[in-house]
Amino acid sequence: MSEANNKVVLSVKDLEVTFRKGRQRVSAVAGISFDLYEGETLGLVGESGCGKSTTGRALMQIVPSTGGQIFVDGDELTSLNKDEARNLRRKMQMIFQDPISSLNPRRRVKDIVAEPLDCWKLAKGAERDSIVSDLLNKVGIDPAVYGNRYARQFSGGQCQRISIARSLAMRPRLLICDEVVSALDVSIQAQILNLLEDLKKEYGLTMLFIAHDLAVVKNISDRVAVMYLGKLCEIGPSDTLYAKPAHPYTEFLLGAALEADPELEQSSATLGGEPPSPLNPPSGCRFRTRCPFATEKCAAEEPQLRDIGEGHQVACHFPLVGAHQ
Amino acid sequence: MSQEINSTNQNPAGDLLVVENLTTTFQTARGALPAVGGVSFRLGANEILGVVGESGSGKTVLSRTIMGLQPRTNVEVGGSVLLDGHQIVGATDEDLRDIWGTKVAMIFQDPMTSLNPVTKIGKQIGESLQVRLGMNKAEAKARVIELLTLVGIPSPEERYDAYPTQLSGGMRQRVMIAIALACNPTLLLADEPTTGLDVTIQAQILNLLDELQLKMKMSVILVTHDLGVVATRTDRIIVMYAGRIVEMGTTKEVFRNHKMPYTRALLESTPRVSNPSHTRLQTIPGRPPNLLKLTEGCAFAPRCSRATEKCSQERPTLEPTGVDGHYFACWNPLEDQAAPVSIQTGTIKEIGEDNVRG
Ligand SMILES: Nc1ncnc2c1ncn2[C@@H]1O[C@H](COP(=O)(O)OP(=O)(O)O)[C@@H](O)[C@H]1O
Ligand SMILES: Nc1ncnc2c1ncn2[C@@H]1O[C@H](COP(=O)(O)OP(=O)(O)O)[C@@H](O)[C@H]1O
Ligand code: SF4
Ligand code: SF4
Ligand SMILES: [Mg+2]
Ligand SMILES: [Mg+2]
């Protein structure tokens, strides 16, 4: 199924984002590393506040990273000067959860989609119109009927289609989607997920798909990374990771996901408590305060992400599965 | 057309709630909006009933109408809601105050909208105990601590003095549950109680509701758009579309043997953890109808692959399948589980005029 090859489009090394909150420091992203291969979709999943959006925003340099490196096609983003960084970021686009508020309600749809073209002075006149029409067709909006309408006249699902069209105007290599279907009803959500799958193939996109919904993330991703309190717990091929989670947190998370089937035996193991504050994260393994398997080692030593075979990596001193047969 | 259900009474022992041909119509600047368009169902003692449907299908308006919570202006309520012998439709504020808390209580998706941000939670829970049950301050406080313990709030003595903003979303929902249960209601209406909460917290809250339902011998109406929640936590379900019941039955029967194409479409467009990644999702073309422009026919007709001419002319009535109180509203019902339904998978061409908010 995967369109991925071995070429690394995005490489993230020890990325850190720390916010200052008065005299306190919020450790939102606490040193995470991963690679994104050309043509693949990597899902980033975890509960609210674990740092998913901050990771996406740091990659786009919407929030400054406070440590680590971001390589896009081999060029290091954070060390470039402003112009160079701006150029590099043309290769990356991000779309967000709330499509309605991310579109200017008083602009016409075709002008919204053309924003990046206008901003970078890439096309004008007939050429601009034809690019815009093509993009709108691709996302399922008839440009002849709707191109001149205002954004405020569209529903959430339609606005998300318009955002997607706009993000593709620059022909990006990398698309970062942050909870793009979370606010939509299931029937509309399915339309958008299928659309993203189709566009990914057609435009040869590489995607980072951020969401909290485990079923949605599995559906669209080739690989999945699980995040907890600013750290990566585990990363691996979607089907493997969901079938054989190696990190205790992943197992609890999957156990809590409710399948729409009354006759299926569902896990009853629930994770107690709530995540600790990123103002004062636990020493060692950040999951240890809720982990039933925690030992002294877990408090003393931070587990590093390590390979357990089949492209599956886990950060745990006592993983649930050692190595795949 | 009313959705009359006379033939079967699932709970001959006496239903706690009997809703008959209930309608809630808002008078808006753009015309009459029938948010609930003639709903009838019964709920037995100790039963957990799920109400499921996409946003705008009327789930919240239905629950608020059952609770007697609709505003008095610009809204017209018709039909009947009999709760343990009390008629809610047309009841005075005074009547309702007697019922609220002791007979029926409600919890909402966002607890912050019903909690007072500047009042300590202990006081907010205790208020109704003093007013409704005539407890003195000390008795109320003792009971509040009991309730906080019951809903699983750690160190309840300390939390008694906390303000809502000092609590997490999950803890606030626990506080809301404590307030709702303070006067031992026989019916709890839970409107999207875990929507917006993380899955592990959602599991905690749903387990808590299950536990309390048994312990306090309540009936629960669990309103949600989440099929996973209804599948795992309810005895029976109602599927709503455009303000009406389109299918109703035991949860197992509706999931296994649904007759109404919309029910199937909803199930098939839901991504599942148990499916392999990249499983192509079925989609339903278009969007739910504009309630201001409902036609005489089946409201699902513009999106339905089984629609025939009759569908756009005449609204299907709720008919029994004969199994376990299972009802459906459809002229061309699905034959059985194996019958294929070709839900149109196209997303591009079907976006018609009426899909644009105007
Ligand atoms: N601009 C900001 N200033 C301070 N703290 C922030 C800011 N943005 C996010 N945070 C904090 O960083 C943590 C991670 O947030 P976020 O990345 O939004 O998580 P997620 O997207 O996984 O829900 C949270 O504790 C959040 O409160
Ligand atoms: N106070 C109101 N005035 C006018 N229309 C309303 C009002 N409340 C709800 N509605 C409309 O009633 C319909 C049903 O809404 P609701 O019950 O909230 O749906 P759900 O809970 O299923 O998402 C929607 O079309 C909504 O816009
Ligand atoms: S490192 Fe220790 S505390 Fe962390 S997940 Fe593994 S066993 Fe649990
Ligand atoms: S009545 Fe007709 S349009 Fe409505 S669901 Fe049945 S087949 Fe489809
Ligand atoms: Mg986020
Ligand atoms: Mg609602």
Side-chain angles (χ1 to χ4, degrees):
Chain A
M1 246 351 259
S2 169
E3 314 290 310
N5 60 37
N6 288 330
K7 193 163 173 208
V8 174
V9 173
L10 174 77
S11 182
V12 178
K13 299 246 184 294
D14 302 317
L15 181 70
E16 278 180 33
V17 182
T18 304
F19 295 106
R20 287 182 179 282
K21 205 173 173 183
R23 310 180 67 197
Q24 293 177 303
R25 316 180 73 196
V26 183
S27 167
V29 178
I32 65 171
S33 304
F34 61 87
D35 289 334
L36 210 54
Y37 298 95
E38 187 170 55
E40 82 164 338
T41 299
L42 175 68
L44 183 58
V45 70
E47 296 182 276
S48 56
C50 70
K52 305 182 295 298
S53 296
T54 304
T55 301
R57 286 165 188 273
L59 296 178
M60 292 299 292
Q61 302 275 289
I62 299 169
V63 298
S65 47
T66 47
Q69 294 163 305
I70 302 162
F71 297 91
V72 181
D73 284 328
D75 294 317
E76 210 284 301
L77 193 58
T78 61
S79 66
L80 298 177
N81 70 35
K82 256 192 171 160
D83 281 346
E84 291 168 332
R86 186 166 176 259
N87 257 316
L88 197 55
R89 277 203 314 273
R90 278 171 60 172
K91 296 183 177 178
M92 306 159 78
Q93 289 289 320
M94 185 159 175
I95 42 183
F96 301 91
Q97 169 166 4
D98 185 358
I100 296 179
S101 71
S102 60
L103 303 181
N104 183 338
R106 284 191 293 272
R107 295 205 75 188
R108 291 178 198 277
V109 167
K110 59 175 197 200
D111 294 327
I112 290 175
V113 175
E115 269 164 23
L117 301 174
D118 298 344
C119 172
W120 288 87
K121 300 196 173 55
L122 292 181
K124 57 183 189 214
E127 191 196 352
R128 173 184 181 270
D129 291 348
S130 108
I131 294 175
V132 168
S133 293
D134 184 48
L135 286 166
L136 282 171
N137 274 321
K138 288 272 155 54
V139 298
I141 290 176
D142 185 343
V145 181
Y146 301 115
N148 280 318
R149 301 239 185 143
Y150 294 99
R152 61 163 187 270
Q153 292 174 289
F154 291 84
S155 67
Q158 310 276 85
C159 286
Q160 204 54 284
R161 289 173 191 268
I162 298 166
S163 310
I164 293 169
R166 177 175 61 181
S167 73
L168 295 179
M170 295 299 292
R171 291 302 191 117
R173 283 202 15 99
L174 177 65
L175 188 63
I176 300 176
C177 299
D178 189 3
E179 305 275 7
V180 293
V181 297
S182 307
L184 306 175
D185 274 316
V186 283
S187 70
I188 310 298
Q189 173 179 288
Q191 293 172 3
I192 300 292
L193 287 171
N194 286 353
L195 176 68
L196 283 171
E197 287 271 33
D198 296 343
L199 293 172
K200 179 186 138 192
K201 287 198 188 89
E202 182 164 355
Y203 287 83
L205 294 168
T206 302
M207 288 209 286
L208 179 64
F209 191 91
I210 299 171
H212 69 278
D213 186 312
L214 292 152
V216 165
V217 166
K218 184 179 182 191
N219 183 270
I220 201 165
S221 307
D222 302 303
R223 289 191 303 141
V224 172
V226 180
M227 216 171 160
Y228 182 81
L229 206 59
K231 295 274 184 191
L232 284 189
C233 299
E234 173 163 21
I235 182 167
S238 313
D239 291 329
T240 319
L241 187 138
Y242 278 63
K244 293 182 202 163
H247 196 283
Y249 176 63
T250 312
E251 176 154 274
F252 278 110
L253 204 58
L254 289 171
L258 299 172
E259 192 76 319
D261 183 352
E263 293 176 71
L264 201 74
E265 195 62 47
Q266 315 239 1
S267 157
S268 59
T270 48
L271 185 58
E274 297 184 4
S277 161
L279 287 172
N280 189 15
S283 65
C285 174
R286 288 192 167 191
F287 184 55
R288 70 175 168 82
T289 53
R290 300 168 80 195
C291 181
F293 312 114
T295 64
E296 274 168 29
K297 184 178 182 187
C298 304
E301 221 178 286
E302 187 186 329
Q304 301 300 319
L305 212 53
R306 63 188 167 90
D307 251 306
I308 54 168
E310 285 183 21
H312 195 167
Q313 295 174 294
V314 62
C316 171
H317 295 308
F318 310 103
L320 302 171
V321 287
H324 295 293
Q325 307 304 296
Chain B
M1 204 174 301
S2 72
Q3 301 182 333
E4 213 85 46
I5 298 162
N6 304 319
S7 49
T8 58
N9 180 337
Q10 271 298 292
N11 314 282
D15 293 307
L16 174 68
L17 178 73
V18 181
V19 176
E20 267 170 26
N21 199 23
L22 186 67
T23 56
T24 308
T25 310
F26 295 103
Q27 301 307 327
T28 73
R30 304 172 65 207
L33 187 146
V36 176
V39 161
S40 305
F41 68 91
R42 291 159 181 266
L43 177 71
N46 297 318
E47 209 182 356
I48 305 185
L49 175 74
V51 177
V52 67
E54 292 181 278
S55 53
S57 60
K59 306 181 299 295
T60 294
V61 174
L62 175 64
S63 4
R64 294 182 68 93
T65 309
I66 291 172
M67 182 84 185
L69 266 178
Q70 289 306 342
R72 289 295 143 90
T73 52
N74 298 326
V75 58
E76 206 169 293
V77 178
S80 157
V81 176
L82 262 183
L83 172 65
D84 209 4
H86 300 264
Q87 178 57 257
I88 307 279
V89 176
T92 63
D93 287 352
E94 211 180 5
D95 292 341
L96 288 172
R97 269 196 297 273
D98 282 344
I99 296 168
W100 285 342
T102 54
K103 292 268 180 248
V104 59
M106 190 159 174
I107 55 177
F108 307 92
Q109 174 178 347
D110 182 8
M112 266 329 262
T113 56
S114 23
L115 291 174
N116 183 341
V118 296
T119 308
K120 293 176 176 172
I121 60 161
K123 197 169 166 219
Q124 296 195 49
I125 305 172
E127 258 165 9
S128 69
L129 295 171
Q130 289 178 258
V131 176
R132 310 294 309 279
L133 303 183
M135 289 186 182
N136 67 33
K137 239 181 163 171
E139 286 167 340
K141 176 155 186 178
R143 176 75 181 134
V144 169
I145 305 281
E146 239 177 74
L147 283 163
L148 288 176
T149 313
L150 183 73
V151 298
I153 291 187
S155 23
E157 278 90 358
E158 284 164 44
R159 298 298 168 91
Y160 184 93
D161 289 319
Y163 292 96
T165 47
Q166 295 171 315
L167 302 177
S168 67
M171 286 297 154
R172 277 181 217 145
Q173 198 52 284
R174 289 175 193 268
V175 170
M176 271 303 297
I177 294 170
I179 292 175
L181 300 187
C183 303
N184 284 309
T186 40
L187 171 62
L188 179 69
L189 289 162
D191 186 5
E192 308 268 7
T194 59
T195 305
L197 297 178
D198 282 314
V199 280
T200 62
I201 310 299
Q202 163 168 289
Q204 293 173 6
I205 298 288
L206 292 173
N207 287 350
L208 174 68
L209 284 174
D210 269 357
E211 211 177 279
L212 294 173
Q213 185 266 336
L214 277 176
K215 203 180 274 178
M216 305 185 65
K217 299 193 171 46
M218 296 181 289
S219 300
V220 175
I221 297 182
L222 184 57
V223 174
T224 175
H225 69 282
D226 188 323
L227 290 166
V229 172
V230 286
T232 52
R233 305 292 169 152
T234 61
D235 304 316
R236 273 200 308 147
I237 56 175
I238 281 174
V239 182
M240 287 191 72
Y241 191 76
R244 290 171 176 268
I245 297 177
V246 294
E247 189 145 17
M248 160 165 78
T250 61
T251 307
K252 263 193 189 151
E253 190 63 16
V254 171
F255 271 83
R256 187 197 295 180
N257 234 341
H258 36 268
K259 296 288 172 202
M260 161 75 190
Y262 175 68
T263 308
R264 173 168 292 183
L266 205 55
L267 286 169
E268 295 197 336
S269 58
T270 305
R272 287 162 195 261
V273 177
S274 56
N275 282 346
S277 77
H278 300 297
T279 299
R280 189 76 178 176
L281 298 169
Q282 297 291 332
T283 61
I284 316 175
R287 294 183 35 212
N290 182 340
L291 294 177
L292 292 165
K293 295 179 187 160
L294 281 186
T295 61
E296 285 303 292
C298 172
F300 189 55
R303 307 173 77 188
C304 182
S305 61
R306 294 172 75 90
T308 50
E309 216 177 305
K310 185 174 188 182
C311 301
S312 50
Q313 288 159 358
E314 208 180 316
R315 185 173 298 135
T317 47
L318 263 188
E319 300 294 337
T321 63
V323 179
D324 275 351
H326 182 185
Y327 290 80
F328 65 93
C330 177
W331 295 128
N332 309 307
L334 302 163
E335 296 300 323
D336 55 44
Q337 178 68 335
V341 57
S342 62
I343 295 159
Q344 300 156 43
T345 47
T347 56
I348 310 254
K349 268 105 207 157
E350 292 90 347
I351 298 165
E353 188 70 21
D354 63 352
N355 296 324
V356 176
R357 274 211 234 122

